[in-house]
Amino acid sequence: MVMPLFDTASTMDASSAVPLGVSVPRVDSGGTRHHAGGRANVACFAPSVTSLDIVYCPPGGQWRSRTLPNVVRGVHHGIVEDLPYGSRYGFRPSADRRPLPPYAPAVLGDDAGNPPLLLDPYGRGVEQKDGVLATVRTAPDFDWGADERPALPWRNTILYEAHVRGQSKLHPDVPEELRGTYAGMAHPAVLEHLTSLGVTAVQLLPVHFHLDEPHLQDLGLTNYWGYNTAAFFALHPGYATRAAREAGPQAVQDEFKDMVKAMHAAGLEVILDVVYNHTAEGTQDGPVLNFRGLGEQAYYRMDSHGKYVDTTGCGNTLNFGEPHVVQMVVDSLRYWVDEFHVDGFRFDLAVTLCRNAANEFDPNHPFLTTIAADPVLSGVKLIAEPWDIGDGGWQTGRFPSRWVDWNDHFRDAVRTFWLADRAAMDAGGDGGTMARLADSLSGSAGLFQASGRSRLASVNFVTAHDGFTMNDLVSFDRKHNEDNGEENRDGHGDNRSYNHGVEGPTENGLILAKRAQSRRNLMATLMVSLGVPMITAGDELARTQQGNNNAYCQDSPMTWLDWTLTPEAHEMLRSTKRFIRLRKEFLAAQPHDFPVRDEQSYLYWFDQHGQPMSAERWNDPHHRVLQLLLGDDGGALAGLVVVNGGATDVQITLPDLGRATPSLFELRLTTSPLHEQRQGIRVASGETDLAEANSISIYRT
């Protein structure tokens, strides 16, 4: 029996305006709940559309259409009898209705003027097949077994920012068919690397379904990072294995869930980098994918002249002054926690999500208060990138309780002290003072105090996906982004990097040694500082991007992790493991609420003579030696961090703790080349030791 291509019935049915998207109907007319089969409740917020059709194709069937008969406050809804799991579908205004041919490509848009399908904003899967970009209905079935979230406290968290494709694409121990996929990310060889390294949470670059910008397509490039989301409830199928892609979105979901399950079994949390600030529809003359065709003025922020207000730099900005937009994003977040068991989120350009109707940042924005009150979302990790490019866009330190912020103060201060200052001194000038570095070591407490948060609100990082790798920070003075096709105009110009005398690759042994020590200084500073450290994938292997500091469009060996253990990579991996191990040992010896309870946690600052730092020394650029004693009155040990940012070795006097019996400090680590010879020496408080030039030394009592 051939089904009619159009159902023009407009009779009211028993459908519901909630939940949005495609769901199992709550009840039928007889009060019986339906859990299976093809009967579905369809609801879509499309305030700009008078009448909305759902155009759909059941598995093995033909494309057909039905008008959603009910409209409630901009939500079009209706019951569709033959929309089983696996069906492809999309929406289009009834005014655009054309006869549907029995083949799919015309539904996407063709020379005859047939309009494209609009993706369901709540669609769980997206698939491009037979020339059609369509939403796919998927089932929530998955055997999670005994899966449990690690639920690690922030104090014990070490973040590892990684790209699903880049992490395993070149890994020699991962089978070729799994490389660069969700399954590859979960392969035992990759998990062993992460767990032996000591990180506790993997923060994945965007995995939501995304599209490539037109200008990249023209250049033959792709949006490798994925910050161009087109569907907030759907996975990007390009990161799945070929077998899963061919099987469809349901198999892609299962592969991702298997990855989460495996990571949890290894003790690793999974955090998603999410992009809710803009969409892949781009500027007002960009492609019409979903939101623009359903209700542009509601979904996007616009000025009084009908022009887009862009606080993202990507052509459009989602309108978080609209309750339906807030609801959609919160529903999306809850879906990823409930259905995929993820442990938290990092919010790209998070300030945009907190702009009110007047386009001003509001720390009490409904988006923030809704999450705080939500029983699901209030218990996961929430990380803000606390800026955007709009007016008042820099808001580091102003997000509310339960949130942590990427701390750009830390990044800039640490790079300046170890690299920019070093370059200035090597050129015969002066470096800076110790004050900004000390603030970073102590967790930037003052920056977060006004929001009622502690040092643990600071996500400390030296590098991220955006910018130089750690190896490139010590190897390049300038960005080299020519491969991006923008004549090197893109990317940051203020990198605070230092090539140590030669731009880029070199075989000069002296320069290579200096670069290696600078890498160790950067990583050690990251690990000894209070707050939450974040490592960028590959920095532990001295990864390079050949000086490209904006490699968002480079899906190539330039951005994939190179697992070849060169001498430089082996040394950096060993050092990073050592730094992480020392951090964990120190924290394990402190009370569970260290360093939050300021009345018992202590940070004491001393100069090279073991005397309390004076205002004069804090502000003297020629004084580049600092000793930090930290711990807790209830802790089992104290730690002493000695920083020598100068160009010469310095004799230091270890601080006297004022005890009847002198304390004994054991040197656990130094970033200088003398680590192997000096590790384990013991020095009593009040006695002298050597702080090598341009190094960090870490002692414990």
Side-chain angles (χ1 to χ4, degrees):
M1 177 178 180
V2 178
M3 296 290 293
L5 296 179
F6 273 96
D7 180 352
T8 58
S10 58
T11 306
M12 299 285 285
D13 60 19
S15 63
S16 173
V18 292
L20 292 168
V22 174
S23 60
V24 175
R26 292 184 175 182
V27 294
D28 66 7
S29 57
T32 303
R33 185 176 180 89
H34 289 257
H35 293 280
R39 195 167 190 267
N41 188 91
V42 180
C44 180
F45 178 60
S48 296
V49 177
T50 303
S51 180
L52 189 69
D53 291 349
I54 178 171
V55 182
Y56 61 101
C57 181
Q62 290 182 318
W63 286 93
R64 58 197 67 174
S65 178
R66 168 169 165 71
T67 299
L68 301 178
N70 310 308
V71 185
V72 179
R73 293 183 294 277
V75 177
H76 299 251
H77 59 96
I79 297 292
V80 179
E81 297 291 344
D82 51 346
L83 193 68
Y85 295 123
S87 298
R88 291 182 287 161
Y89 71 96
F91 299 109
R92 69 181 187 185
S94 301
D96 291 334
R97 181 184 297 164
R98 307 287 180 93
L100 290 176
Y103 53 88
V107 182
L108 182 63
D110 62 10
D111 294 338
N114 287 306
L117 287 180
L118 301 176
L119 297 173
D120 182 358
Y122 276 69
R124 273 35 175 180
V126 177
E127 184 176 51
Q128 186 155 7
K129 184 178 180 182
D130 300 327
V132 179
L133 183 65
T135 305
V136 179
R137 187 185 183 194
T138 62
D141 305 327
F142 184 77
D143 182 9
W144 283 101
D147 179 68
E148 291 186 9
R149 295 183 175 90
L152 293 171
W154 273 121
R155 190 193 78 165
N156 298 335
T157 298
I158 300 174
L159 299 167
Y160 185 88
E161 187 193 43
H163 191 289
V164 168
R165 182 166 169 80
Q167 189 71 18
S168 66
K169 184 63 177 174
L170 298 177
H171 201 299
D173 296 330
V174 175
E176 186 173 354
E177 66 272 15
L178 303 184
R179 293 176 187 172
T181 69
Y182 301 123
M185 193 79 200
H187 189 273
V190 176
L191 296 180
E192 192 282 330
H193 172 77
L194 297 171
T195 54
S196 66
L197 183 62
V199 298
T200 67
V202 179
Q203 181 177 300
L204 296 175
L205 267 66
V207 297
H208 289 173
F209 177 79
H210 69 266
L211 294 170
D212 301 324
E213 294 89 338
H215 82 275
L216 291 179
Q217 297 179 44
D218 292 342
L219 292 169
L221 299 172
T222 62
N223 189 322
Y224 172 69
W225 287 349
Y227 289 90
N228 203 40
T229 305
F232 297 122
F233 292 76
L235 283 166
H236 191 66
Y239 300 151
T241 58
R242 180 177 180 179
R245 294 196 307 272
E246 292 177 348
Q250 190 75 58
V252 173
Q253 289 184 1
D254 289 346
E255 184 176 313
F256 183 89
K257 291 176 180 178
D258 280 330
M259 178 197 73
V260 173
K261 189 175 178 180
M263 287 189 169
H264 284 174
L268 297 167
E269 293 182 307
V270 179
I271 295 174
L272 301 186
D273 194 333
V274 287
V275 187
Y276 295 113
N277 54 77
H278 75 282
T279 80
E281 291 188 307
T283 59
Q284 280 179 292
D285 59 355
V288 178
L289 301 170
N290 41 20
F291 305 107
R292 182 171 291 133
L294 297 171
E296 181 179 50
Q297 292 183 340
Y299 283 106
Y300 293 123
R301 192 175 291 278
M302 306 178 80
D303 64 19
S304 59
H305 303 291
K307 302 296 185 182
Y308 282 1
V309 176
D310 184 6
T311 61
T312 68
C314 300
N316 65 59
T317 301
L318 275 179
N319 179 18
F320 279 80
E322 163 60 51
H324 277 92
V325 170
V326 174
Q327 176 191 353
M328 176 183 68
V329 173
V330 171
D331 287 347
S332 171
L333 294 169
R334 195 183 296 114
Y335 170 69
W336 290 103
V337 175
D338 284 341
E339 295 294 335
F340 291 85
H341 290 202
V342 302
D343 303 282
F345 305 93
R346 179 265 185 189
F347 294 84
D348 183 64
L349 301 182
V351 171
T352 291
L353 283 57
C354 309
R355 288 184 178 272
N356 57 26
N359 202 28
E360 297 172 341
F361 175 79
D362 181 2
N364 296 308
H365 191 282
F367 173 68
L368 296 172
T369 57
T370 300
I371 287 179
D374 189 278
V376 173
L377 300 179
S378 61
V380 302
K381 286 182 164 66
L382 303 169
I383 305 170
E385 183 184 38
W387 50 78
D388 64 15
I389 68 167
D391 292 339
W394 185 83
Q395 297 293 337
T396 308
R398 293 198 61 202
F399 277 74
S401 174
R402 295 182 182 272
W403 287 71
V404 300
D405 300 1
W406 269 25
N407 188 352
D408 51 320
H409 282 232
F410 182 96
R411 175 199 63 201
D412 293 347
V414 173
R415 289 187 182 190
T416 297
F417 185 85
W418 289 117
L419 299 177
D421 285 359
R422 177 77 181 279
M425 290 187 293
D426 284 356
D430 292 330
T433 68
M434 301 294 300
R436 290 189 65 192
L437 182 70
D439 183 62
S440 298
L441 290 168
S442 63
S444 307
L447 185 62
F448 298 96
Q449 187 174 18
S451 63
R453 293 178 293 166
S454 73
R455 296 176 173 90
L456 291 179
S458 175
V459 173
N460 300 329
F461 67 105
V462 178
T463 65
H465 65 276
D466 185 3
F468 278 146
T469 67
M470 189 173 287
N471 192 30
D472 286 356
L473 275 178
V474 305
S475 305
F476 294 90
D477 281 354
R478 303 176 302 279
K479 59 188 173 73
H480 297 268
N481 300 351
E482 292 80 6
D483 289 340
N484 296 354
E486 299 182 42
E487 298 180 351
N488 206 31
R489 293 189 301 268
D490 61 309
H492 297 295
D494 180 18
N495 296 288
R496 308 184 190 207
S497 59
Y498 179 36
N499 66 19
H500 294 76
V502 173
E503 186 75 355
T506 181
E507 296 182 1
N508 185 307
L510 179 60
I511 290 177
L512 291 175
K514 290 179 178 179
R515 289 178 177 179
Q517 186 160 342
S518 289
R519 285 196 303 265
R520 293 194 297 271
N521 288 339
L522 294 169
M523 189 67 79
T525 303
L526 180 62
M527 286 302 150
V528 301
S529 298
L530 298 179
V532 181
M534 184 187 81
I535 299 173
T536 303
D539 279 351
E540 77 278 16
L541 298 170
R543 182 175 74 93
T544 179
Q545 291 179 170
Q546 291 85 52
N548 192 319
N549 75 348
N550 189 35
Y552 77 103
C553 57
Q554 299 298 325
D555 186 1
S556 69
M558 176 189 291
T559 51
W560 305 336
L561 266 66
D562 183 353
W563 294 92
T564 306
L565 276 185
T566 63
E568 292 81 8
H570 178 75
E571 188 276 332
M572 190 62 193
L573 178 61
R574 183 176 58 178
S575 294
T576 304
K577 288 181 177 181
R578 185 182 295 138
F579 302 150
I580 292 175
R581 185 168 60 250
L582 281 178
R583 177 185 179 87
K584 289 184 172 182
E585 288 176 359
F586 174 74
L587 289 175
Q590 309 305 323
H592 71 90
D593 51 358
F594 173 88
V596 174
R597 51 176 191 172
D598 289 337
E599 70 279 2
Q600 289 183 272
S601 301
Y602 56 80
L603 291 88
Y604 300 140
W605 307 94
F606 302 93
D607 62 19
Q608 69 189 66
H609 305 296
Q611 299 300 309
M613 285 285 288
S614 64
E616 179 182 359
R617 288 194 176 273
W618 277 123
N619 296 301
D620 181 0
H622 298 101
H623 180 75
R624 300 271 295 178
V625 179
L626 178 71
Q627 299 188 72
L628 167 61
L629 183 71
L630 70 166
D632 189 280
D633 290 341
L637 57 83
L640 179 67
V641 179
V642 179
V643 176
N644 180 3
T648 59
D649 297 349
V650 174
Q651 286 288 332
I652 59 169
T653 301
L654 273 59
D656 187 348
L657 304 187
R659 299 172 181 170
T661 303
S663 297
L664 200 60
F665 292 94
E666 178 188 5
L667 180 64
R668 298 283 292 153
L669 177 149
T670 176
T671 61
S672 84
L674 300 181
H675 168 76
E676 299 296 340
Q677 297 96 301
R678 301 197 66 235
Q679 181 186 21
I681 69 168
R682 297 187 177 188
V683 184
S685 58
E687 294 186 356
T688 61
D689 197 14
L690 183 70
E692 293 90 350
N694 191 45
S695 71
I696 298 177
S697 298
I698 302 173
Y699 302 78
R700 73 177 184 189
T701 56

